[in-house]
Amino acid sequence: MSVTLHVCITCRAGQTLGEGETPPGARLHAAILAAGAPANVNVVAVECLSACSQGCSVALSAPGRWSYVYGRLSDANARDVIAGASAYATAPDGIVPWRSRPEIFRKQSLARIPPIAIVPEAAE
């Protein structure tokens, strides 16, 4: 199953940026793309994940699975983010065993969101 890795590209990680400087979130996104995500991980740039006080952030989601938001990241973490996203993609419910997660995913989780139930009336 394909999963989505959302990367906040507007994140400034608490820094004041000069004119034309690339935000740290955009650098993280570029590093993830350069490192190469597997085919079952769709990397999507997003404008804001509202985790501004937590440095650069990413979110993992897929239909019917738990979703996660991770923060305090930088472009140096790109390979670990990809490893965590790959493990998430292979977990049937989105719950990766704690010891199987990269260290940054063990220590830098900001939120865990349950799967969203589809209410039949809402689908009509």
Side-chain angles (χ1 to χ4, degrees), residues 101-115:
R101 299 175 194 171
E103 186 173 348
I104 60 167
F105 278 18
R106 285 186 234 150
K107 296 185 175 185
Q108 293 166 217
S109 177
L110 304 180
R112 180 176 162 206
I113 305 158

Side-chain angles (χ1 to χ4, degrees), residues 73-87:
L73 303 170
S74 74
D75 52 334
N77 302 122
R79 291 199 184 280
D80 285 334
V81 170
I82 290 169
S86 295

Side-chain angles (χ1 to χ4, degrees), residues 29-92:
H29 180 255
I32 289 169
L33 293 177
N40 60 350
V41 176
N42 183 31
V43 180
V44 176
V46 295
E47 293 277 325
C48 184
L49 289 173
S50 290
C52 303
S53 66
Q54 297 296 320
C56 295
S57 57
V58 301
L60 280 167
S61 64
R65 295 178 181 216
W66 285 81
S67 297
Y68 292 87
V69 180
Y70 298 98
R72 300 181 299 281
L73 303 170
S74 74
D75 52 334
N77 302 122
R79 291 199 184 280
D80 285 334
V81 170
I82 290 169
S86 295
Y88 177 82
T90 61

